[in-house]
Structures are given as structure tokens and as C-alpha cells.
Amino acid sequence: MTQMEGSARTAPYGSWKSPITADVVSGSSKSLNGISVDGNGQLLWLESRPHEVGRSVLVKEPEKPGDEPVDITPKEFAVRTLCQEYGGGAFSISGDTLVFSNYEDQRLYKQSLHLKDSPPLPITPDYGGPSVCYADGVFDSRFGRYVTVSEDRREDSLNPTTMVVAVGLGEKDIQEPKVFISGNDFYAFPRMDPKNEKIAWIEWGHPNMPWDRTELWVGYISEAGDIYKRVCVAGRDPKHVESPTEPKWSPKGELFFITDRQNGFWNLYKWIESTNEVLPLYPLNAEFARPLWVFGMNSYEVIQSDKQKTLIACSYRQRGRSHLAIIDVLQSSLSLLDIPFTDIEDITSGNNCLFVEGASGVLPTSVAKVTFNDEKSEVIDFQILWSSAPDSFKYQSYFSLPELIEFPTEVPGQNAYAYFYPPSNHVYQASQEEKPPLLLKSHGGPTNEIRGVLNLSVQYWTSRGWAFVDVNYGGSTGYGREFRERLSGRWGIVDVDDCCSCAKFLVESGKVDGNRLCITGSSAGGYTTLAALAFRETFKAGASLYGVADLNMLIAETHKFESHDLEKLVGSEKDYYERSPINSVEKFSCPIILFQGLEDKVVPPDQARKIYAALKQKGLPIALVEYEGEQHGFRKAENIKFTLEQQMLFFARLVGHFDVADEITPIKIDNFD
């Protein structure tokens, strides 16, 4: 217990009153979708606002400390791209010129950052609807153009054409973008060298995902602005199974990138142009990159590049924790920088500082300005400029801190990982005979990693007396290629086994009540949830948020980016059938609540409706909540709030044996009310 024995009120787990309400959670869930700096080194960030129906707005740091940040995006615009459905890389800045993708029509617009009243002007054609999307663009000053990934859905919305195009930045008539690189299924990270004479990019084709196999190319640009010669830098050598990512040119024109060719971990490499060789900078069994689900990731920056030294600021993950480091390329040395973040996403360099997007067990997702000494060997100042939940510190006395646990899996000798959060509320304690209910969360992806950082939606549960565990099952990232590939051909088996093993491990450790185990997950995590409830008997109830119930239906209806991923994750037609929870309705034996956005293109609404109808007919307690205007993931504050409260109430009524402290109007549960 975090509270002093005797001073706290005794009440059943799950019934505790907490100031971390669903309103607080939904109001605090501003999310960050990219950071950048302008020509003066001032920070801009893209934030998504639940209270503006999830509108994404570019904001600039204040000129003077104490002033308010300034919205750059006019009210009638929203900065977001639908490229690859998951988006990312929706804007780019060069000097005081901003180019961004507008959500409503998906066109690119150019805007001056310094002329206060100059409206954004379109630079791509109007196709009469959001049928062509752009992402991950960079400026090409040599030819006055913007080079960007383009996804054209005009002929086939399920299988659009992806290419790299050049968009004119002139003030004259809007021209049709010029096709620059094409022929493969997917492209990312087009990056110009300092003289705009070369371009690097990543490409890959079906059935690979960008963490399976990709290729890194360099193209040489002619006087006419076309590519006249190409060199494959990494990804084609049959000796190496690798997935290069994040190419970047130094001011001196050296090409750096990240790949997982030698030790199975994404490490930093440098291209030697004269011999077309690649050399590792500092081999380490740690991940220096994340899987490419969204465009525009930025895991490292070249912060010094001169005759004396080349220094790279980077972050890497090892055993569930991020570290900020400086690599001296010539010395092949790595030095750690001490900052309060235990989790780091993106890094952007400013004037003698870094802007770091990160979080920790007590800090929500934030952007901090990290200032160095002259040698760039020590941090002399750490200042948070933006926070997703700026008021969260006032709830700190209620926080449950994540504990990284390693637990045995069904495969002897193989372990998996999770973050365990015990119940925590200094006002309450439970009786010594009682153990807390557990909510286990399986993350989406499935190729992704859950991070042990402050998330008020987790604290919503723990401060009411629930134990919560976030599982990194086999197939998760952050632990190298071998761990990531445990799921190959075994999705619906390894992830389900690992979630069940984790719950059993916590029961056997005496930390939770084995009769009150609940499971939740969204998207691929929703599939793991449904599969665990259909094929195992570990959990007593579950909540699936836009989860997959029918794998065959997913193949037929999902978007291009993931349309072949199941070939690797599942295997044969028989496996598709047998591992689809919808085909084993008779095996379900416990209550389920489903949440679904009606505009979801990744997991269409029919998936939820099908499982709802089948389980309702079977007579199990079941509820379905559908949201108008929501896609894959809920962005509106009222829907975020409703989802959280209804899960809590559903589990309390059906499994918990306690009354919740909050006033929540229950929805009707079929076969129960």
C-alpha cells in the first residue's frame, strides 16, 4: 500500500473514489503528431485536441517566456494526412515557409509563418474530394519544389498507387505533381542531401511490412531535376535480412540511417559512397528506431558535423527503457545524457539544444528543451515546453508507478515482458483478505510496443483500486527482431498465450484475484482480447475496441498498407478460419462489451456487429457501442470518456462484486438487464 496503514479508509478494491475522473482523462488526452523548428530555431508542434473533435493544430512556442503559445493553423483548417490510414508527417517547415496537409480535402497548402494574416494557399490540384493524400515531404530549394510521398486513391481506394512526387512551390498556376519515384508498393523518408543533388528514400513491397524487409536507395539528380542514376544502399543483399529506416544527410553530405542487419536490433549506420559499403556506428543490442506505422519519425539528429567531429544525438530502447545519448562517429563512442524521461519518441535539434518528445512514469507525453554544455557532453537545462496533460501533477499522490516484469511464457526458456501497476490511492485501503481485480491490456499493432509511461487512463483504474497490466507479448517491438518474429505465423496463439501467462503469473505471485481477471484491447489488441475469450478460459470478461473478429473479412476489407500482413502473421486458410473468434462462438463463455467507430477503414464496423449478433443469440451478456464520425481510434472527448466509464461499469456489474464510486448511467447489456 502507498498509504500509511491505519490512516486510510477501508473499502473494497474497485469501489474507491478518485479525482482522476473520465472527464479528466478525456480532457487530458491531447496527443502529439510531430515537432519541428522554424528558421529561427523556434519550436512548433502539432497537437490533436479532443475538445475540438480531434482537430489537429500547429502551435508555435511563445516568443517570450510566460506568454501563451500561438496557434498557427487557422480555424477552418486541420493539419492531418490520411496517407496509409495512420498518417504522420503531415507538415514540413523550411525557414519561415510551412507546407501542410489539410484534413478536409487532403490537399497540400503553403503558409508563411511570419506574415501573420497571410492565408494558407493550396499547391496541389483540387480533385473534388480527399482522394489524393501526401505525407513525409521535404523542400528542394534547388528546383523550388516540395518532394513528398503521394497516395492516389482515385482509381482504387482499397489499393491506391503510392509514389514520390515533386510539387511546385511557385505562386503561378497549380500544376499536376510530377512523378519522381514510382514502381513499388510503398515509399517513405524521401530526404534531400544538403546540395539537393541526391535524394535518399526507403521503399518496400507486398507482402512485407516496413519492419520485415525494406530497401534504402539513393538517387542522383540531373540538371533537369530528374533522377538519372540509382544506388541501393541496403536491403537487397541476400546475406542480410534487414529493414533499413530513417535515412538522414549530415550538413557535410554524409548519409546515416538505421537498420537491423547484424544483431537483429535497429542500430545506426553510415554509408560510404565511394565503395557503396555501410558501417555500423556503435553496435548495441538495443533499438534505435520504432516500427514505421506512421510517417515522419525522427529518432536521431546530426548535431555537429565538422573537421574535428561528427556528433549524433539519438535515443535507444533497452529492456523497456529509453536512453538519450550522443554518438561520436569518428571515435565510435557513446555517452549517455541524464534527463527525467524514461521514454523517448522523437528528437529535433534547435540552436545548441534538442527538443525531445518523451515521458516517464510520472510525466505524461511532453516536449522538453534540453540544453547542453559547449562540449555537448552534459545536460545543463531541462525545460518542459508542452505537455499532453499539464494538470496531471496535481494527481501525483494517486499515481501507481509502472513496474517492469518479466514472466515465463508457454515456451520453456522464453520470457515476455509487461508493465504492472498495483492499485494506488492514499485515501483508501482494502481489507487484508482481499486481492484486487486485474485489467490486462493487450496492445494494438500487433507489431508495436507498450511503454511504461504516465497515462491517466491507466491511473483511472489503479486509483479506483484495480491492478492494471500492459503486456509486451512475443511479437512486440523494443526487444529485437527475434522477439518481434515470435508472432510470425502464430498471431492468435503467441499473443494470447503470453497474455494468459502474464495474468497467471500475477495470480501466482499473489498480486491479483484469480477470479476477477478482465482483458481489454483495441484494434489488433481487440483481436487478442476476443481470441483469449474464445480460445482460453483465463479471463472472466473482456472489452474489445474496434477489434478483429473475422480474419478473412479483414483480408477482404482492410486498407492497402496492411492488406498482406496477415499472410505472415497467420498462415494457411485453415488457420484464418480456426483463429477467427467469430467461427468459435460456441467457445465463448463470458461477458463482452464492444466499441466501434462507424467510419473505421482499418477494421470495418461489420466485424463488431457480427460478433455482437452471434453472442447475443448465444445468450451471453453482451453490449455494443457504435460512434458516428469516429475512425480507427476515438478522437472526440465525449467518446473517450464514455468508453472508459462504460468499461469500468460493465466489469464492476458482471465480475467485480463492488459498486463504483462514480455516477455513471449504465447502458443496456443484452442477456443481462
Side-chain angles (χ1 to χ4, degrees):
M1 286 293 144
T2 53
Q3 63 275 355
M4 289 174 65
E5 292 296 338
S7 64
R9 273 182 247 160
T10 300
Y13 285 118
S15 71
W16 303 348
K17 202 165 181 56
S18 165
I20 305 172
T21 63
D23 274 315
V24 167
V25 175
S26 63
S28 73
S29 44
K30 276 194 302 190
S31 58
L32 195 62
N33 300 310
I35 55 178
S36 187
V37 293
D38 67 6
N40 299 326
Q42 276 194 291
L43 176 72
L44 289 95
W45 61 86
L46 181 59
E47 67 180 38
S48 167
R49 299 172 173 170
H51 287 302
E52 291 186 41
V53 201
R55 185 171 86 100
S56 292
V57 181
L58 260 170
V59 186
K60 188 174 180 179
E61 72 169 308
E63 301 278 341
K64 296 197 287 291
D67 287 359
E68 285 296 306
V70 183
D71 281 10
I72 297 296
T73 308
K75 284 271 185 280
E76 61 275 22
F77 290 87
V79 181
R80 186 176 157 208
T81 174
L82 291 174
C83 221
Q84 270 176 206
E85 290 303 331
Y86 297 113
F91 72 99
S92 190
I93 296 166
S94 177
D96 83 328
T97 303
L98 159 71
V99 168
F100 69 89
S101 168
N102 182 43
Y103 176 56
E104 186 82 359
D105 55 10
Q106 290 295 299
R107 295 173 76 185
L108 289 179
Y109 286 75
K110 184 170 83 166
Q111 183 181 357
S112 167
L113 292 175
H114 294 139
L115 296 172
K116 288 280 184 283
D117 299 319
S118 69
L121 299 170
I123 57 171
T124 53
D126 182 357
Y127 297 114
S131 52
V132 180
C133 317
Y134 307 92
D136 210 11
V138 287
F139 290 82
D140 177 359
S141 56
R142 184 177 165 208
F143 293 100
R145 62 190 182 180
Y146 187 72
V147 177
T148 177
V149 176
S150 156
E151 189 177 86
D152 189 338
R153 308 175 175 200
R154 284 174 294 176
E155 286 188 12
D156 187 344
S157 62
L158 268 185
N159 191 29
T161 305
T162 308
M163 47 202 167
V164 177
V165 300
V167 176
L169 286 169
E171 300 298 329
K172 297 190 287 294
D173 296 341
I174 294 171
Q175 303 289 321
E176 190 67 31
K178 173 183 173 177
V179 177
F180 201 41
I181 305 164
S182 64
N184 214 331
D185 292 314
F186 303 99
Y187 295 92
F189 295 111
R191 298 293 182 258
M192 308 297 302
D193 83 330
K195 295 181 179 170
N196 298 126
E197 291 172 353
K198 296 195 270 287
I199 180 172
W201 72 90
I202 300 288
E203 63 176 67
W204 69 98
H206 288 316
N208 289 314
M209 294 298 281
W211 44 85
D212 297 323
R213 294 200 80 147
T214 55
E215 294 172 3
L216 167 61
W217 288 81
V218 168
Y220 294 77
I221 301 168
S222 70
E223 294 297 321
D226 300 307
I227 293 175
Y228 67 88
K229 180 178 133 189
R230 297 164 183 238
V231 174
C232 187
V233 172
R236 281 211 138 174
D237 184 341
K239 290 200 298 289
H240 301 294
V241 175
E242 62 179 326
S243 51
T245 184
E246 293 196 55
K248 185 168 294 202
W249 300 92
S250 76
K252 284 199 302 201
E254 305 157 295
L255 180 65
F256 297 98
F257 64 100
I258 296 172
T259 191
D260 56 347
R261 62 163 47 189
Q262 279 179 335
N263 55 6
F265 287 84
W266 278 311
N267 283 193
L268 273 155
Y269 285 75
K270 179 184 173 183
W271 179 48
I272 310 302
E273 186 178 3
S274 55
T275 55
N276 192 26
E277 285 178 281
V278 302
L279 299 176
L281 300 190
Y282 191 87
L284 199 62
N285 284 356
E287 300 281 36
F288 285 76
R290 311 195 298 286
L292 195 160
W293 281 103
V294 297
F295 288 105
M297 293 183 299
N298 207 48
S299 305
Y300 68 100
E301 286 275 32
V302 181
I303 55 170
Q304 187 177 332
S305 174
D306 52 38
K307 284 195 175 74
Q308 280 77 47
K309 53 176 61 171
T310 298
L311 298 180
I312 290 177
C314 58
S315 75
Y316 65 86
R317 278 186 79 69
Q318 210 169 30
R319 291 193 60 79
R321 188 196 161 104
S322 295
H323 303 271
L324 184 65
I326 303 280
I327 290 180
D328 184 320
V329 175
L330 300 176
Q331 301 282 330
S332 189
S333 65
L334 178 144
S335 48
L336 287 171
L337 297 173
D338 189 25
I339 61 169
F341 290 152
T342 54
D343 182 82
I344 296 168
E345 293 269 322
D346 285 332
I347 295 173
T348 298
S349 67
N351 298 333
N352 203 37
C353 70
L354 287 177
F355 296 108
V356 180
E357 179 191 333
S360 76
V362 292
L363 290 170
T365 297
S366 311
V367 179
K369 183 178 186 177
V370 178
T371 312
F372 308 118
N373 60 357
D374 291 341
E375 293 76 46
K376 300 186 172 64
S377 60
E378 267 178 52
V379 172
I380 53 174
D381 192 38
F382 177 91
Q383 181 192 356
I384 289 181
L385 302 181
W386 178 90
S387 169
S388 60
D391 294 337
S392 59
F393 68 90
K394 67 184 178 198
Y395 307 112
Q396 197 160 343
S397 61
Y398 292 86
F399 290 168
S400 175
L401 296 180
E403 180 192 322
L404 180 69
I405 59 170
E406 188 173 339
F407 59 90
T409 68
E410 294 279 311
V411 180
Q414 277 192 2
N415 289 356
Y417 307 89
Y419 294 99
F420 176 68
Y421 298 81
S424 175
N425 184 323
H426 62 276
V427 181
Y428 292 93
Q429 63 184 14
S431 72
Q432 292 196 323
E433 297 77 62
E434 193 193 359
K435 290 198 165 40
L438 174 74
L439 182 58
L440 179 143
K441 186 176 169 211
S442 63
H443 65 69
T447 311
N448 217 334
E449 179 191 6
I450 203 69
R451 312 286 189 101
V453 299
L454 179 64
N455 179 344
L456 289 183
S457 68
V458 172
Q459 305 297 327
Y460 173 82
W461 295 89
T462 54
S463 62
R464 282 166 176 72
W466 280 75
F468 193 101
V469 68
D470 242 331
V471 184
N472 278 317
Y473 47 77
S476 303
T477 51
Y479 297 90
R481 184 179 276 268
E482 195 181 309
F483 192 84
R484 197 164 78 231
E485 290 186 342
R486 280 188 194 175
L487 213 53
S488 294
R490 296 179 63 76
W491 190 33
I493 298 172
V494 168
D495 49 323
V496 171
D497 281 344
D498 287 0
C499 287
C500 294
S501 295
C502 181
K504 286 176 196 155
F505 176 78
L506 291 170
V507 172
E508 285 161 12
S509 314
K511 291 184 172 174
V512 301
D513 181 348
N515 293 317
R516 293 191 289 175
L517 304 176
C518 299
I519 183 169
T520 185
S522 54
S523 190
Y527 166 70
T528 301
T529 295
L530 292 172
L533 296 172
F535 306 126
R536 306 287 187 279
E537 293 179 353
T538 306
F539 299 97
K540 309 301 180 197
S544 167
L545 286 66
Y546 41 95
V548 179
D550 185 337
L551 295 170
N552 275 309
M553 192 192 270
L554 189 67
I555 303 170
E557 294 185 345
T558 199
H559 59 142
K560 177 186 175 185
F561 178 54
E562 291 177 86
S563 59
H564 289 260
D565 195 23
L566 291 187
E567 292 171 21
K568 249 182 358 297
L569 288 171
V570 183
S572 70
E573 275 182 45
K574 182 166 168 274
D575 292 326
Y576 281 98
Y577 184 86
E578 288 180 353
R579 287 191 220 157
S580 293
I582 193 66
N583 299 324
S584 295
V585 171
E586 74 287 349
K587 293 181 181 166
F588 280 93
S589 59
C590 67
I592 301 176
I593 186 166
L594 308 160
F595 299 89
Q596 179 68 44
L598 291 177
E599 289 181 20
D600 194 334
K601 300 270 198 314
V602 181
V603 180
D606 278 355
Q607 294 262 353
R609 287 172 177 168
K610 215 171 154 187
I611 201 95
Y612 167 71
L615 295 182
K616 183 180 173 183
Q617 191 181 350
K618 188 185 176 192
L620 279 181
I622 179 107
L624 169 63
V625 178
E626 295 184 322
Y627 295 125
E628 294 280 350
E630 290 282 22
Q631 296 158 323
H632 197 64
F634 307 144
R635 291 169 178 266
K636 298 175 186 175
E638 65 270 23
N639 296 343
I640 295 167
K641 175 190 175 184
F642 193 81
T643 303
L644 200 51
E645 289 186 334
Q646 292 303 331
Q647 282 186 80
M648 170 74 72
L649 194 56
F650 185 85
F651 293 147
R653 292 178 71 198
L654 289 142
V655 181
H657 315 304
F658 56 80
D659 294 320
V660 296
D662 309 81
E663 285 187 26
I664 306 168
T665 307
I667 55 167
K668 180 176 184 290
I669 301 170
D670 291 297
N671 302 321
F672 182 75
D673 288 319

